[in-house]
Amino acid sequence: MKPYATPEKLPITGYLPVEPVSVRIPSAAKLTGLSRSTLYNLIKAGELEVVKVGSMTLVPYDSLRSFIERRREPKK
């Protein structure tokens, strides 16, 4: 099978919906609905964890989840 860069480019057959370990900034923006600028500001403020691999910036998926959980408003 030919390697694919992102889950949205995978063919439907054979794709197992597995949570990614990390995502790049554009994918993090799509997943959260936040702009790239906002994500970079959150990273600078220490709100989001990142992993640098060369020039690539990866955001651990669990960091996105925990950020959203921390910002979630309690049910009334």
Side-chain angles (χ1 to χ4, degrees):
M1 177 180 210
K2 185 177 175 184
Y4 294 89
T6 58
E8 56 269 9
K9 292 184 181 179
L10 285 173
I12 299 299
T13 58
Y15 173 62
L16 297 174
V18 177
E19 189 174 283
V21 174
S22 62
V23 293
R24 291 181 175 194
I25 297 294
S27 294
K30 285 181 184 179
L31 287 168
T32 61
L34 299 171
S35 70
R36 290 179 46 209
S37 298
T38 299
L39 288 172
Y40 282 116
N41 287 335
L42 290 169
I43 291 165
K44 187 176 179 180
E47 293 275 341
L48 282 176
E49 179 185 354
V50 293
V51 175
K52 292 292 283 183
V53 179
S55 63
M56 185 173 25
T57 302
L58 299 172
V59 182
Y61 201 75
D62 61 341
S63 180
L64 289 175
R65 281 189 170 281
S66 62
F67 169 75
I68 295 298
E69 288 299 319
R70 287 192 311 270
R71 294 292 182 106
R72 193 176 209 170
E73 293 184 11
K75 292 182 182 180
K76 294 181 181 184

